[in-house]
């Protein structure tokens, strides 16, 4: 492959060498450099790959892509661009022969709801006969393969590699979470989404190495809608106009107020046989009754999003209705059927904002008692422990404080910090450091009509102690408790 093919959509300066040089591979990690590759110098938060140019040339790189001036031996091609992260995205798309052009691409952005909505969309599209891949916080799904995720949105090279593999498997569509960091770091540059979605916006990811302020966070979210053909927006969000600013796409809206393209009316809560959910009627561009076996008003918004996306691709209402009944997302208000007397669920809520949202939602179902089990991670801000403890004590009838990922801290030190927050409110509490024993306590002491939520671990299937990750899946623990182990 010629380098000229990889840079055909870039604005660049040829500083040295020949753009028609033959290239073996595209590389952005100095540890993976091989003979005759082109190396893209990424300017990272911790390391600057420009500092390793001499090393990568010694290893055999034929060409380098830079955004700073560098010194290289004669015979090496040097191409200078304004932003090497953006260049990597466009080059990756070319390297994998523009796979996004052969897929229906759906990008979902927002503070909350991205993960659940991606699984809803995947479920419905597949029910309609469209083979659909997924890229998100928990995992990437390519056919039968499930790949553990490191970032919500992977590096642009990995995104394009996943797209290529989906195309090669004959897949029709891909739905992916698009974080604000991904937009800021050009991880999804180099192609145009068929559909972009805005779920909601709350202050988050603001600080060192993230966004300097809320305005910057919102701006990065808005960039998706300059890179998609159709934008689907939560019209009930107070920030929708800010996110729509500068958009270049066709726009649809969804929400619970009249005048939306997809409006939820006659909303009711479902509570039966230990299961929770919502029911409503959607009107506007589609008109039918909806039931979702995932609790909370946000399930209305997430499912409306999925309905709008599927309408874009011509999916029939009866297919959508059936698929929404069957949707389950690992670790996101995941109901674990153990008893008709009480409801047991697992959720990833691991900060005060998420926990408050979760517990407030569950209180709407008027449980006999709301029981919240959680711990906090070690080697993290103590403020999170105080805040989560206070939120749980304020909203739950019983807080069960246990261990999460203690990392290099002592579990009881973390628990004692949580208790400082717990004691600021007046909820009952118990402390049980061993997580399995804490879960056993909740199950054995559950009363009729209780909702018991195991918070913090969600989809995680390990516990990190002293730098070692030990297998620990709450679903397995529950099963072992039921079997008397």
């Amino acid at each position: 492959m010629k380098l000229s093919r990889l840079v055909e959509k870039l604005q660049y300066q040829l500083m040295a060498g020949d753009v028609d040089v033959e290239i073996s591979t595209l590389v952005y990690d100095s540890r993976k450099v091989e003979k005759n590759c082109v190396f893209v110098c990424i300017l990272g938060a911790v390391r600057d790959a420009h500092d390793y140019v001499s090393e990568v040339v010694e290893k055999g790189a034929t060409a380098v892509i830079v955004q700073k001036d560098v010194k290289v031996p004669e015979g090496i091609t040097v191409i200078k661009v304004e932003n090497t992260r953006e260049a990597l995205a466009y080059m990756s798309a070319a390297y994998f022969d523009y796979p996004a052009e052969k897929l229906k691409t759906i990008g979902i952005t927002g503070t909350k709801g991205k993960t659940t909505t991606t699984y809803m969309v995947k479920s419905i599209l597949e029910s309609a006969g469209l083979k659909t891949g997924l890229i998100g916080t928990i995992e990437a799904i390519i056919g039968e393969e499930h790949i553990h995720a490191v970032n919500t949105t992977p590096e642009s090279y990995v995104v394009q590699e996943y797209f290529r593999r989906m195309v090669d498997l004959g897949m029709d569509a891909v739905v992916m979470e698009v974080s604000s960091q991904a937009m800021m770091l050009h991880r999804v540059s180099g192609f145009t989404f068929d559909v972009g979605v805005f779920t909601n916006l709350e202050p988050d990811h603001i600080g060192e190495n993230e966004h300097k302020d809320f305005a910057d966070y919102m701006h990065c979210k808005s960039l998706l809608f300059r890179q998609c053909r159709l934008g689907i927006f939560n019209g009930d969000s107070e920030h929708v106009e800010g996110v729509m600013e500068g958009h270049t796409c066709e726009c649809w809206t969804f929400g619970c107020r009249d005048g939306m393209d997809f409006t939820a009316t006659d909303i009711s809560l479902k509570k039966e046989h230990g299961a929770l959910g919502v029911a409503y009627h959607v009107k506007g561009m589609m008109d039918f009754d909806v039931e979702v076996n995932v609790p909370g008003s946000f399930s209305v918004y997430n499912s409306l999003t999925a309905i709008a996306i599927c309408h874009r691709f011509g999916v029939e209402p009866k297919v959508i209705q059936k698929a929404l009944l069957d949707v389950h997302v690992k670790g996101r208000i995941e109901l674990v059927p153990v008893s008709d007397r009480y409801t047991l669920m697992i959720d990833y809520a691991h900060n005060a904002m998420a926990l408050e949202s979760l517990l407030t939602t569950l209180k709407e179902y008027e449980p006999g008692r709301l029981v919240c089990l959680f711990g906090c991670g070690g080697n993290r801000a103590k403020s999170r422990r105080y805040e989560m403890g206070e939120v749980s004590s304020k909203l739950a009838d019983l807080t069960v404080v246990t261990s999460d990922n203690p990392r290099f801290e002592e579990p009881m030190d973390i628990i004692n910090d949580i208790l400082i927050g717990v004691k600021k409110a007046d909820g009952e509490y118990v402390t049980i450091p061993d997580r399995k024993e804490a879960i056993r306590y909740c199950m054995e002491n559950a009363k009729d009509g209780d909702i018991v939520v195991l918070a913090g671990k969600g989809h995680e299937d390990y516990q990190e102690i002293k730098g070692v990750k030990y297998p620990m899946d709450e679903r397995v623990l529950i099963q072992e408790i039921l079997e008397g182990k």
Side-chain angles (χ1 to χ4, degrees):
M1 175 183 304
K2 289 191 182 297
L3 179 59
S4 55
R5 162 74 168 159
L6 297 189
V7 299
E8 63 187 3
K9 294 191 176 181
L10 295 184
Q11 296 284 329
Y12 65 86
Q13 291 177 275
L14 180 62
M15 308 301 290
D18 184 358
V19 77
D20 284 322
V21 67
E22 283 288 338
I23 294 299
S24 59
T25 52
L26 172 63
V27 180
Y28 61 96
D29 183 335
S30 60
R31 295 166 297 183
K32 297 180 180 178
V33 169
E34 58 182 70
K35 189 172 175 60
N36 295 330
C37 73
V38 53
F39 180 75
V40 183
C41 296
I42 299 297
L43 184 62
V46 178
R47 299 194 333 167
D48 182 352
H50 292 80
D51 297 338
Y52 300 89
V53 166
S54 297
E55 178 186 322
V56 301
V57 169
E58 282 179 18
K59 287 182 176 179
T62 298
V64 292
I65 311 296
V66 300
Q67 67 183 62
K68 296 179 177 180
D69 292 329
V70 296
K71 290 183 179 180
V72 297
E74 274 192 44
I76 301 298
T77 296
V78 180
I79 288 179
K80 190 175 184 181
V81 296
E82 187 174 329
N83 187 301
T84 50
R85 283 193 176 276
E86 184 176 25
L88 176 63
Y90 278 90
M91 292 173 72
S92 297
Y95 184 72
F96 289 105
D97 196 23
Y98 303 105
E101 295 176 2
K102 304 172 183 69
L103 293 166
K104 294 176 173 66
T105 50
I106 303 150
I108 299 176
T109 197
T111 305
K112 296 187 295 189
K114 297 189 297 295
T115 299
T116 303
T117 306
T118 54
Y119 281 88
M120 280 186 174
V121 171
K122 175 178 165 61
S123 176
I124 299 172
L125 291 180
E126 293 203 324
S127 297
L130 294 171
K131 295 178 182 176
T132 304
L134 181 146
I135 302 173
T137 301
I138 298 174
E139 62 189 346
I141 305 175
I142 305 172
E144 298 299 316
E145 186 178 4
H146 293 249
I147 304 163
H148 175 71
V150 178
N151 296 314
T152 296
T153 312
E155 189 55 80
S156 58
Y157 179 94
V158 178
V159 169
Q160 294 295 335
E161 180 184 23
Y162 287 170
F163 285 179
R164 180 73 257 165
R165 291 173 59 186
M166 291 175 192
V167 170
D168 291 345
L169 283 174
M171 302 184 79
D172 305 296
V174 56
V175 57
M176 65 182 292
E177 298 181 49
V178 180
S179 66
S180 53
Q181 287 284 98
M183 296 305 304
M184 185 170 71
L185 299 175
H186 296 282
R187 290 177 185 162
V188 291
S189 294
F191 69 100
T192 300
F193 285 96
D194 290 296
V195 178
V197 176
F198 164 63
T199 60
N200 50 60
L201 196 66
E202 295 180 16
D204 199 9
H205 301 293
I206 296 166
E208 190 178 355
N209 295 330
E210 291 194 278
H211 300 285
K212 61 182 179 181
D213 52 31
F214 184 74
D216 180 58
Y217 180 49
M218 182 162 61
H219 171 71
C220 287
K221 294 289 188 191
S222 75
L223 295 176
L224 176 60
F225 305 100
R226 305 174 196 188
Q227 194 186 323
C228 65
R229 296 180 179 89
L230 169 67
I232 299 175
F233 299 86
N234 178 353
D236 288 346
S237 169
E238 63 180 301
H239 301 294
V240 65
E241 290 185 5
V243 173
M244 292 177 79
E245 187 174 336
H247 76 270
T248 57
C249 58
E250 180 187 357
C251 299
W252 292 353
T253 56
F254 64 90
C256 298
R257 293 185 292 112
D258 281 340
M260 306 290 175
D261 294 301
F262 300 85
T263 301
T265 63
D266 305 320
I267 300 169
S268 62
L269 303 180
K270 294 170 53 187
K271 181 181 179 183
E272 52 190 33
H273 309 302
L276 309 176
V278 293
Y280 63 92
H281 186 85
V282 60
K283 68 177 186 178
M285 295 177 77
M286 299 194 87
D287 194 317
F288 58 91
D289 291 327
V290 178
E291 286 189 39
V292 186
N293 287 326
V294 182
S297 58
F298 47 81
S299 290
V300 175
Y301 286 97
N302 293 345
S303 56
L304 278 174
T305 306
I307 289 167
I309 292 168
C310 293
H311 178 63
R312 178 65 163 192
F313 297 128
V315 182
E316 294 292 324
K318 62 183 180 181
V319 175
I320 296 175
Q321 287 171 309
K322 182 179 185 306
L324 284 175
L325 275 174
D326 296 336
V327 164
H328 301 282
V329 183
K330 186 176 183 181
R332 297 302 195 277
I333 313 193
E334 178 188 350
L335 298 174
V336 184
V338 295
S339 171
D340 288 344
R341 291 194 309 104
Y342 68 94
T343 302
L344 178 64
M345 64 176 61
I346 295 171
D347 192 83
Y348 188 50
H350 59 290
N351 59 41
M353 182 176 70
L355 190 63
E356 182 173 17
S357 174
L358 173 66
L359 297 180
T360 301
T361 291
L362 296 177
K363 282 179 78 72
E364 294 175 358
Y365 286 83
E366 299 179 348
R369 293 183 308 165
L370 180 54
V371 179
C372 177
L373 174 151
F374 77 97
C376 287
N379 305 106
R380 298 292 187 271
K382 287 195 174 189
S383 58
R384 175 176 290 190
R385 304 170 189 177
Y386 309 146
E387 291 164 359
M388 289 185 70
E390 185 173 1
V391 163
S392 183
S393 186
K394 206 177 278 184
L395 295 174
D397 298 292
L398 173 64
T399 297
V400 180
V401 187
T402 186
S403 184
D404 193 294
N405 292 322
R407 298 187 176 90
F408 291 95
E409 288 193 67
E410 290 301 319
M412 279 310 302
D413 290 343
I414 299 170
I415 287 172
N416 287 331
D417 285 338
I418 294 171
L419 291 177
I420 292 172
V422 168
K423 292 172 183 176
K424 288 184 178 180
D426 56 4
E428 293 184 21
Y429 68 92
V430 296
T431 62
I432 305 174
D434 183 284
R435 198 170 185 102
K436 182 175 181 178
E437 291 309 310
I439 294 171
R440 188 194 308 276
Y441 174 87
C442 290
M443 293 172 65
E444 290 180 350
N445 290 278
K447 300 177 181 178
D448 289 358
D450 283 359
I451 296 177
V452 179
V453 58
L454 314 181
K457 295 298 290 178
H459 58 277
E460 291 180 354
D461 57 5
Y462 63 87
Q463 188 172 40
E464 187 177 344
I465 303 171
K466 305 293 184 187
V468 179
K469 289 185 177 180
Y470 296 92
M472 193 196 74
D473 186 323
E474 289 183 321
R475 295 148 205 81
V476 174
L477 299 184
I478 291 166
Q479 190 57 41
E480 288 178 352
I481 291 165
L482 289 172
E483 294 171 356
K485 294 181 181 178

